[in-house]
Amino acid sequence: MRVLVSGGGVAGLTCAYWLDQAGHTPVVVERGQAGPLGGYGIDFSGTGYDIAQRMGILGRLAERPLRSDSIAYVDASGRVVGRLDRPLAEKVLRGPYLALMHTTLEAVLADAVRDRVEVRHRQSIAEVEQDNGVLVTFADGTQEEFDVLVGADGVHSRTRELAFGAESQWARHLGLTMACYPVPDIAGLTDVRTHFAEPGRQTVLYPTDNVGTSIALFLYRDSAPHHVARAERAARLRTIYTGSRWHTPELLAHAPDDDLFMDTLTQIEMPRWHVGRVALIGDACGALTLASAQGASLAMAGGYLLAEALAKHLHDHAAAFAAYEARLRPVVTRRQRRTRSLARSLVPATHAGHEFQRAIARLILRENCASLLRRGFGNTSTILPTTPVR
């Protein structure tokens, strides 16, 4: 089966790898240039960790962990008011995990398909026509036919728009916006992920896997989220964080004028993930947002399980799509629900709410509260088949 995978991120590359393993011929198109796409950190565990192990790439991932060994919550003076260290994190997650840059995972996945899968960069789909196959018109005007099309092109999926309709039908905004960019390391904060919260906004700083570079991440309440033009993002961020304390002014001074990632925290909820010969995976159909800490893991699960279903139902794409969705949808729905609940308390709007959050952090970031923490962050892997796709 010839399969077009639209999107060369975590979900798309994972899907392409396992499609190739199953004997299909995947082709990946990615509108960005060659190289990793997402410049932020992720907590990698559970299903994604298991899939990486089956791919034989865990060793390469483990070579490039973030330089942080704990998560600290601080006040304006830098005093630690709560801490989550690695042993407690592993107990909460019920297993091992890696703290990685998203770019690291993408780069290792790209290497895993190199020389086996055709990946076309700076290419995207413009039109889709379905009949006995999928006729795809690309952005450069060329046309090709495929047996099926897999949309793995993220929360703002062009594939979803073409096959299912406008994003507004499926988007659920969580009332938060985030922005992030690289900054120089700050002395004393090179081995910990640090969170500083104020009413309505939060600043996070964590070291990358490269000495000398950290990531500044900003998360703030936004009751009327809208797209902010790239040239206006740095100014908007500085306005939102006017008067902020801790190291926030220093971090804002490094905000780039032309390369600042900013987006709303938006979940995608759809009544079905496939139509005709088109199926969606990852954020394109079940975006969790970064508040879940499981987006990359479930993106890999989507790619893996769709490839498994297409291998099992070799000549029946409809049965394959239905089997994939039946396997994964309950997990995604449950995780989205948990994430919405968490997001409501992630950035308290009032001073009283902020003080309550600090008090709770002091109380529950302890080993005897692991089961309580697991309700929000646990990620046991129960959705994989017992043997790898072959």
Side-chain angles (χ1 to χ4, degrees):
M1 186 179 291
R2 194 160 185 256
V3 182
L4 179 64
V5 180
S6 176
V10 170
L13 292 173
T14 301
C15 188
Y17 175 91
W18 290 107
L19 286 169
D20 174 70
Q21 291 290 307
H24 297 297
T25 304
V27 175
V28 178
V29 292
E30 167 52 50
R31 65 181 179 181
Q33 62 185 5
L37 305 176
Y40 48 88
I42 60 173
D43 294 313
F44 190 59
S45 63
T47 300
Y49 192 99
D50 292 348
I51 293 171
Q53 191 169 41
R54 293 184 178 192
M55 295 174 72
I57 62 174
L58 266 184
R60 292 201 56 201
L61 294 173
E63 291 172 357
R64 296 181 57 187
L66 299 184
R67 291 173 288 132
S68 57
D69 58 9
S70 64
I71 302 173
Y73 300 86
V74 302
D75 62 17
S77 66
R79 181 174 63 91
V80 176
V81 298
R83 184 182 295 274
L84 178 64
D85 59 19
R86 186 179 188 90
L88 178 55
E90 290 188 349
K91 188 169 184 178
V92 170
L93 295 170
R94 282 183 169 160
Y97 79 98
L98 291 169
L100 303 169
M101 289 298 293
H102 198 275
T103 49
T104 297
L105 179 57
E106 287 175 339
V108 172
L109 287 170
D111 283 345
V113 302
R114 200 179 311 278
D115 302 325
R116 296 192 59 90
V117 174
E118 181 183 1
V119 180
R120 306 173 187 174
H121 291 280
R122 294 188 177 277
Q123 182 64 285
S124 59
I125 62 175
E127 296 180 19
V128 173
E129 296 179 36
Q130 297 193 59
D131 193 359
N132 293 324
V134 183
L135 179 63
V136 176
T137 302
F138 293 104
D140 62 4
T142 60
Q143 292 186 320
E144 287 185 60
E145 190 156 347
F146 299 85
D147 295 298
V148 297
L149 167 61
V150 177
D153 41 354
V155 66
H156 304 302
S157 170
R158 173 62 171 163
T159 309
R160 185 187 62 230
E161 180 182 14
L162 290 170
F164 294 85
E167 179 179 317
S168 58
Q169 300 176 75
W170 328 116
R172 180 197 283 254
H173 300 295
L174 302 190
L176 297 168
T177 293
M178 66 86 69
C180 67
Y181 50 85
V183 297
D185 282 346
I186 293 178
L189 296 173
T190 57
D191 61 354
V192 62
R193 187 171 93 194
T194 309
H195 292 243
F196 168 62
E198 302 170 288
R201 58 195 184 186
Q202 185 172 161
T203 303
V204 184
L205 178 70
Y206 54 89
T208 68
D209 53 349
N210 293 318
V211 174
T213 302
S214 294
I215 295 293
L217 185 147
F218 302 86
L219 185 64
Y220 59 91
R221 282 183 171 263
D222 196 351
S223 58
H226 64 281
H227 176 74
V228 179
R230 189 171 294 274
E232 300 171 5
R233 292 175 182 178
R236 177 166 175 78
L237 195 60
R238 292 187 180 107
T239 298
I240 294 292
Y241 279 81
T242 298
S244 183
R245 301 170 66 187
W246 188 58
H247 289 282
T248 305
E250 178 183 354
L251 299 175
L252 288 171
H254 292 285
D257 291 327
D258 57 354
D259 191 23
L260 191 160
F261 177 82
M262 177 180 283
D263 203 356
T264 60
L265 266 62
T266 300
Q267 292 185 338
I268 298 297
E269 298 176 293
M270 305 180 68
R272 60 184 307 186
W273 295 350
H274 58 93
V275 58
R277 292 178 175 268
V278 180
L280 304 176
I281 60 175
D283 284 355
C285 58
L288 301 176
T289 79
L290 62 81
S292 73
Q294 301 300 332
S297 183
L298 286 185
M300 292 185 74
Y304 182 101
L305 292 175
L306 180 58
E308 180 212 21
L310 286 169
K312 183 177 180 180
H313 303 278
L314 188 58
H315 302 294
D316 190 346
H317 66 274
F321 292 169
Y324 143 72
E325 184 171 338
R327 191 74 167 274
L328 190 57
R329 177 185 282 278
V331 179
V332 170
T333 299
R334 185 166 60 249
R335 178 57 64 176
Q336 284 184 324
R337 190 164 52 244
R338 283 188 188 180
T339 300
R340 289 195 296 272
S341 178
L342 175 65
R344 286 193 289 269
S345 61
L346 199 59
V347 183
T350 65
H351 179 74
H354 170 60
E355 289 301 315
F356 179 74
Q357 182 190 61
R358 288 177 57 179
I360 290 296
R362 293 190 191 99
L363 288 173
I364 70 170
L365 292 178
R366 301 177 183 183
E367 187 172 348
N368 59 1
C369 293
S371 60
L372 180 62
L373 290 166
R374 193 175 297 123
R375 294 179 186 178
F377 299 99
N379 185 34
T380 54
S381 181
T382 59
I383 59 176
L384 294 188
T386 55
T387 57
V389 174
R390 282 292 183 270

